[in-house]
Amino acid sequence: MTDLSLAVVLPLCLLSGIILGYLYFCALRHTADLIVNQGHPLLSIALTLGRLAVLAGGFFLAVQAGAAALLTTLAGVLIAKALLLYQTRRIDA
């Protein structure tokens, strides 16, 4: 890959990782709420399989662009996790 393509690919991977992480951790929160509130078990299973499939698909697309893109996508997912944890702690406080 050339420097120009990395300059375009890496920010896109970071943004994609943040979106993937936001979707993943929102679905995880919804799944936990379903389990705690004794919601429908099939919905919990479907949400779990769906969020894992979306995350795996996103990482698969990122790995097609190389290791740097994969690590940047992972960084985006971790940023989304930190932001959602911060938001949750602010609401609970």
Side-chain angles (χ1 to χ4, degrees), residues 6-7 10 19 26 28 31 33 39 49 52 59 61 64 73 75 78 82:
L6 277 180
L10 293 182
I19 293 169
C26 283
L28 179 63
T31 303
D33 288 341
L49 293 176
L52 288 174
F59 283 144
L61 289 175
Q64 301 303 312
T73 305
L78 294 176

Side-chain angles (χ1 to χ4, degrees), residues 2 4 6 10-11 15 36 39 57 62-64 70 91 93:
T2 65
L4 179 62
L6 277 180
L10 293 182
L15 182 62
V36 168
V63 82
Q64 301 303 312
L70 178 63
I91 291 172

Side-chain angles (χ1 to χ4, degrees), residues 20-49:
L20 278 173
Y22 182 79
L23 292 174
Y24 179 86
F25 290 110
C26 283
L28 179 63
R29 174 75 179 222
H30 190 66
T31 303
D33 288 341
L34 279 173
I35 292 170
V36 168
N37 297 326
Q38 297 180 354
H40 201 275
L42 287 179
L43 183 57
S44 297
I45 292 171
L47 272 173
T48 300
L49 293 176

